[in-house]
Amino acid sequence: MTAAFDTLAAARDLESAGMDRAHAEAVAGAIRAGQGELATRGDLDALRTATQADLAAVRGDITGLRWIVGINIAISLATLAAVLAMAFRG
């Protein structure tokens, strides 16, 4: 959850630190405007969960591809062995 930013309090703090009012209000406004671009802990957790799910799906795809490649290699070797056996028989 994003915490609310009190621009009035921030501007007053900046003004009390020696900044003139117009600059203090501009800085506080810029900070407030920039807050919409920040990621929250919840955003990062959701991204982590989605990324882990995507990786699990990719791992499953890779496992499936290994089986397919393995079966194709076995079929190819069996076919080659049969062709060679027929070639040397006669």
Side-chain angles (χ1 to χ4, degrees):
M1 175 187 288
T2 305
F5 179 73
D6 187 349
T7 54
L8 179 59
R12 285 181 181 161
D13 289 344
L14 292 169
E15 192 175 357
S16 68
M19 190 177 280
D20 66 78
R21 172 171 273 171
H23 285 112
E25 289 175 356
V27 169
I31 292 170
R32 174 74 170 143
Q35 277 191 324
E37 300 298 319
L38 299 176
T40 64
R41 170 66 65 186
D43 294 334
L44 296 176
D45 289 342
L47 180 61
R48 178 184 301 115
T49 300
T51 302
Q52 288 172 341
D54 290 344
L55 287 173
V58 169
R59 285 185 187 113
D61 291 346
I62 289 171
T63 300
L65 288 173
R66 284 181 182 164
W67 275 99
I68 291 170
V69 169
I71 290 170
N72 282 327
I73 289 172
I75 291 170
S76 297
L77 290 175
T79 303
L80 179 62
V83 168
L84 289 175
M86 288 191 305
F88 285 113
R89 269 193 242 168

